[in-house]
């Protein structure tokens, strides 16, 4: 017997409809790519996203067609997402930090018909447009006054483009399992893989993200999503913030410490989300200028492991840290480190220990850890194994790879991460499976060593890679970027680490560099580091 409740498909445009109706005047503030601060609200965003949908429909863009966006977090980008999905097409977020050839590759794979791009990326696309013939028209996210001279095919300014329709348009209705968004994983090896979100998975994930023990977004908040919309759905904030009716503050192209700080204070931001490297820039700005945070009370930190010293920095200033883990394939949030009731009242030192872990699974994310034979491992906080996940907002296949099975027999997706889970359900990432250092048949976590090294007062950033060793297979090499004006030495660093980890985990050597390479999504690029140090020989070898 089936239930007798209404059929109300979970479609993305229902989110912006709700925001416009219930919180129509709530502000959406952007540091525009053109420069000035721009202010609008959910009611106007909805009206203009309807125009985007109508304008696309006028050009024959239909259900399932892909429309690329190559853009920073701005109000126009937000309108574009709702408009594209609202006509039944798929917003395909392209990461501008990729190499031009990679951009051409994914645009061709996706067969994007239209591309909406920021002024910043006009030159970039001029250089590759000959290699992306599927794009019929380039829409530059600006107005007539700022529209540059460009050779881009059929180029038009966004404001002129949406002015060509009257906005009298109804959202297209379709099944909630219809594709809504496409995002390619950065994949350090092999071709990028497209993750194809559905309306249903995005709406469910937005609801999950708002929950008190996930990101706790409410109408009282002013939220600054620094994490880009081109990186894994901006951790759902483009959906969960309007859904909750919170004020939205968009950073545009400027993500440096001073610009972020200015927005946090000027727009009375209460919650923000970003990867550790962005927070590092903010912390350095605050340290050099003596600036203080007066309204921020929560930050989400994820994308890479958040070092305990960063958690401590924020918590000491009254800002609660949500250490989160997830991935593009998971929409993206999998775990968040909210404190469970059984751990309430712990002294700060122990709270920091719990928060250094990546958190516990949110509702509708099932996790298991397995050994190499696929057997489940216990949640004892010690045994580590492959982290596998299952849920309604987690990929079951990649786009155009229909024959490739990516789930195990129980329907779990292999995250490629190695982790422990403790008896309270808190998961801790040991490493990416391919980054873990295999020494004498045992595993050493590069993340643990990095977290420890950045706790040294003179260290700005640290990375650890495995280097070939004749006796032990691999041994850890610690690579360090010193803080500005500081010159730590090898022995001082090793002495600082000594006693805080098992003896055999101690790095065999320390090298100092001015910069550590990062991937397009802000993670330490270990592949590049391994190449950079390919001719390096350990003193112990
Ligand atoms: P992406 O799909 O680009 O978001 O990358 C996902 C990967 O980033 C995960 O599989 C992890 O390896 C890594 N990652 C994300 N969040 C964290 C975190 N809090 N701690 C450690 N690694 C993380």
């Amino acid at each position: 017997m089936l239930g007798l409740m209404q059929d109300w498909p979970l479609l993305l445009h229902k989110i912006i409809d709700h925001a416009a109706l219930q919180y129509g005047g709530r502000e959406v503030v952007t540091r525009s790519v053109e420069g000035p601060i721009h202010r609008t609200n959910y009611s106007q965003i909805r009206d203009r996203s309807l125009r985007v949908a109508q304008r696309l429909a006028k050009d024959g863009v239909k259900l399932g067609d892909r429309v690329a966006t190559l853009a920073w977090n701005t109000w126009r980008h937000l309108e574009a997402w709702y408009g594209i999905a609202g006509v039944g097409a798929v917003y395909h977020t392209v990461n501008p930090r990729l190499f031009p050839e990679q951009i051409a590759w994914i645009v061709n794979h996706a067969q994007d018909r239209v591309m909406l791009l920021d002024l910043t990326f006009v030159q970039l696309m001029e250089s590759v447009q000959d290699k992306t013939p599927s794009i019929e028209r380039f829409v530059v996210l600006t107005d007539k006054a700022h529209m540059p001279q460009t050779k881009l095919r059929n180029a038009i300014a966004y404001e002129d483009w949406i002015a060509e329709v009257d906005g009298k348009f109804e959202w297209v209705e379709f099944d909630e399992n219809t594709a809504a968004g496409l995002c390619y994983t950065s994949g350090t090896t092999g071709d990028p893989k497209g993750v194809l979100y559905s309306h249903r998975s995005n709406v469910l994930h937005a609801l999950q993200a708002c929950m008190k023990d996930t990101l706790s977004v409410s109408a009282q908040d002013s939220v600054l999503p620094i994490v880009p919309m081109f990186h894994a759905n901006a951790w759902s904030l483009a959906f969960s913030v309007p859904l909750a009716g919170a004020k939205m503050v968009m950073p545009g192209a400027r993500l440096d410490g001073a610009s972020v700080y200015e927005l946090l204070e000027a727009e009375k931001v209460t919650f923000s989300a970003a990867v550790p490297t962005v927070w590092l820039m903010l912390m350095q700005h605050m340290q050099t200028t003596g600036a203080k945070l007066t309204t921020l009370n929560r930050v989400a930190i994820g994308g890479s492991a958040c070092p305990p010293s960063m958690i401590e920095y924020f918590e000491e200033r009254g800002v609660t840290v949500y250490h989160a883990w997830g991935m593009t394939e998971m929409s993206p949030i999998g775990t968040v480190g909210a404190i469970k009731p059984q751990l309430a009242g712990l002294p700060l030192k122990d709270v920091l220990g719990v928060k250094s872990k990546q958190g516990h699974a949110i509702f509708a994310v099932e996790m298991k850890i397995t050994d190499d034979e696929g057997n489940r491992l216990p949640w004892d906080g010690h045994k580590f194994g492959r982290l596998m996940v299952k849920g309604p907002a987690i990929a079951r296949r990649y786009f155009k790879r229909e024959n490739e099975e990516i789930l195990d027999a129980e329907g779990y997706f292999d995250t490629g991460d190695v982790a422990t889970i403790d008896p309270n359900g808190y998961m801790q990432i040991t490493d990416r499976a391919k980054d873990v250092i295999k020494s004498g048949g045992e595993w050493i976590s590069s993340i643990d060593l990095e977290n420890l090294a950045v706790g040294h007062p003179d260290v700005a950033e640290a990375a650890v890679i495995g280097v070939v060793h004749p006796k032990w297979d691999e041994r850890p090499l610690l690579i360090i970027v010193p803080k500005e004006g500081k010159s730590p030495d090898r022995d001082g660093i090793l002495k600082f680490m000594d006693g805080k980890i098992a003896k055999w985990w101690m790095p065999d050597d320390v090298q100092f560099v001015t910069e550590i390479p990062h991937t397009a999504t802000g993670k330490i690029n270990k592949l590049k580091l391994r190449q950079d140090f390919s001719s390096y020989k350990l003193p112990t070898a």
Side-chain angles (χ1 to χ4, degrees), residues 403-478:
N403 299 325
E404 204 174 302
E405 192 52 70
I406 61 168
L407 306 184
D408 73 2
E410 293 179 338
Y412 283 78
F413 170 77
D414 185 345
T415 63
D417 287 326
V418 174
T420 58
I421 304 179
D422 72 18
N424 287 314
Y426 287 82
M427 182 274 288
Q428 184 162 26
I429 300 279
T430 309
D431 235 320
R432 285 300 286 167
K434 60 186 182 318
D435 293 337
V436 80
I437 295 147
K438 294 168 188 106
S439 175
E442 300 286 344
W443 288 7
I444 299 174
S445 158
S446 65
I447 293 183
D448 280 7
L449 297 181
E450 288 158 7
N451 277 345
L452 183 55
V454 289
H456 187 287
D458 296 345
V459 173
E461 201 176 8
V464 173
I465 54 169
V467 175
V468 180
H469 190 281
K471 181 165 175 206
W472 303 110
D473 291 336
E474 273 184 352
R475 290 293 304 156
L477 166 68
L478 172 59

Side-chain angles (χ1 to χ4, degrees), residues 50-313:
L50 269 167
R51 280 175 179 266
V52 172
Q54 188 180 15
R55 186 64 194 79
L56 287 167
K58 192 174 165 202
D59 277 348
V61 173
K62 53 183 191 315
L63 214 66
D65 284 348
R66 271 79 62 201
V67 176
T69 64
L70 183 64
W72 302 108
N73 292 6
T74 71
W75 82 100
R76 290 190 181 114
H77 197 177
L78 191 66
E79 293 165 2
W81 272 24
Y82 282 103
I84 295 164
V87 75
V90 177
Y91 66 83
H92 167 206
T93 47
V94 182
N95 185 337
R97 296 182 184 132
L98 295 172
F99 294 119
E101 306 76 58
Q102 292 173 307
I103 291 181
W105 190 95
I106 63 170
V107 166
N108 282 319
H109 191 264
Q111 286 291 291
D112 297 318
R113 288 190 57 188
V114 180
M115 175 179 273
L116 287 81
L117 73 167
D118 268 328
L119 282 166
T120 335
F121 309 121
V122 167
Q123 265 190 337
L124 168 66
M125 284 317 294
E126 279 177 342
S127 72
V128 292
Q129 68 166 337
D130 291 346
K131 297 184 190 132
T132 57
S134 67
I135 300 178
E136 297 156 26
R137 156 156 259 187
F138 288 90
V139 179
V140 184
L141 292 159
T142 191
D143 55 16
K144 200 191 289 303
H146 295 89
M147 184 68 182
Q149 281 286 345
T150 171
K151 296 191 285 297
L152 285 177
R153 230 171 0 260
N154 282 326
I156 186 169
Y158 173 84
E159 296 296 337
D160 291 344
W161 184 64
I162 57 170
E164 288 174 2
V165 289
D166 60 10
K168 294 196 181 75
F169 190 72
E170 299 278 320
W171 299 118
V172 178
E173 293 290 329
F174 36 76
D175 187 281
E176 64 179 15
N177 288 301
T178 302
L182 178 63
C183 182
Y184 284 77
T185 58
S186 34
T188 39
T189 50
D191 290 334
K193 292 179 232 138
V195 179
L196 193 60
Y197 309 107
S198 68
H199 282 257
R200 176 186 153 82
S201 69
N202 274 347
V203 173
L204 283 175
H205 196 63
L207 289 165
Q208 290 169 270
C210 286
M211 285 180 65
K212 182 96 179 124
D213 283 333
T214 309
L215 302 182
S216 184
V217 187
S218 95
Q220 318 310 320
D221 278 313
S222 169
V223 182
L224 173 69
I226 307 176
V227 54
M229 291 165 74
F230 57 74
H231 183 196
N233 265 337
W235 301 356
S236 113
L237 294 171
F239 307 127
S240 48
V241 175
L243 188 148
K247 171 176 168 181
M248 176 101 105
V249 185
M250 302 290 240
R254 284 171 47 188
L255 308 182
D256 60 282
S259 304
V260 165
Y261 178 77
E262 194 182 283
L263 273 187
L264 287 173
E265 288 298 306
E267 300 305 327
K268 300 192 169 33
V269 170
T270 53
F271 171 59
S272 182
V275 295
T277 37
V278 166
W279 294 124
L280 212 60
M281 290 192 285
L282 176 76
M283 285 160 60
Q284 277 167 0
H285 169 77
M286 290 174 57
Q287 270 154 3
T288 43
T289 59
K292 298 212 165 21
L293 295 165
T294 61
T295 60
L296 190 70
N297 58 49
R298 287 131 44 225
V299 287
I301 307 181
S304 312
C306 175
S309 50
M310 185 173 282
I311 301 176
E312 211 169 335
Y313 179 90

Side-chain angles (χ1 to χ4, degrees), residues 311 315 339 343 345-356:
I311 301 176
E315 298 265 343
I339 298 294
L343 301 175
L346 283 180
L348 183 65
K349 173 172 105 347
D350 298 334
V351 171
L352 290 177
V354 176
K355 289 201 171 188
S356 301

Side-chain angles (χ1 to χ4, degrees), residues 328-538:
T328 309
E329 287 89 336
M330 301 180 72
S331 296
I333 306 169
T335 60
V336 181
I339 298 294
K340 290 189 180 182
Q342 65 265 38
L343 301 175
L346 283 180
L348 183 65
K349 173 172 105 347
D350 298 334
V351 171
L352 290 177
V354 176
K355 289 201 171 188
S356 301
K357 300 189 174 190
Q358 276 73 5
H360 52 84
I362 62 173
F363 173 67
V365 172
E366 291 178 47
M367 296 194 305
K368 65 175 179 179
I369 41 173
T370 60
D371 64 17
D372 285 341
E373 281 76 50
N375 303 310
R376 280 177 195 251
L377 295 171
W379 291 18
D380 62 6
H382 297 291
K383 292 241 162 32
F384 49 80
R386 282 191 166 262
L387 180 60
M388 315 282 291
V389 289
K390 185 175 178 174
I394 298 173
R396 72 181 150 84
R397 280 202 199 292
Y398 290 110
F399 184 48
K400 293 188 184 168
R401 289 177 175 236
E402 281 73 20
N403 299 325
E404 204 174 302
E405 192 52 70
I406 61 168
L407 306 184
D408 73 2
E410 293 179 338
Y412 283 78
F413 170 77
D414 185 345
T415 63
D417 287 326
V418 174
T420 58
I421 304 179
D422 72 18
N424 287 314
Y426 287 82
M427 182 274 288
Q428 184 162 26
I429 300 279
T430 309
D431 235 320
R432 285 300 286 167
K434 60 186 182 318
D435 293 337
V436 80
I437 295 147
K438 294 168 188 106
S439 175
E442 300 286 344
W443 288 7
I444 299 174
S445 158
S446 65
I447 293 183
D448 280 7
L449 297 181
E450 288 158 7
N451 277 345
L452 183 55
V454 289
H456 187 287
D458 296 345
V459 173
E461 201 176 8
V464 173
I465 54 169
V467 175
V468 180
H469 190 281
K471 181 165 175 206
W472 303 110
D473 291 336
E474 273 184 352
R475 290 293 304 156
L477 166 68
L478 172 59
I479 299 157
I480 278 179
V481 180
K483 275 191 185 155
E484 223 176 289
K486 304 282 181 191
S487 35
D489 62 31
R490 176 187 185 276
D491 293 346
I493 300 276
L494 293 178
K495 195 156 163 236
F496 171 82
M497 297 175 77
D498 196 17
K500 300 187 177 95
I501 39 167
K503 268 260 173 294
W504 64 276
W505 278 42
M506 284 293 282
D508 280 24
D509 196 13
V510 185
Q511 293 281 304
F512 295 92
V513 293
T514 49
E515 205 183 335
I516 283 176
H518 290 96
T519 66
T521 50
K523 299 179 209 308
I524 292 175
N525 190 339
K526 298 247 166 131
L527 192 74
K528 173 85 175 47
L529 264 186
R530 280 193 280 265
Q531 282 164 0
D532 292 351
F533 283 87
S534 58
S535 51
Y536 165 86
K537 288 236 159 4
L538 284 168

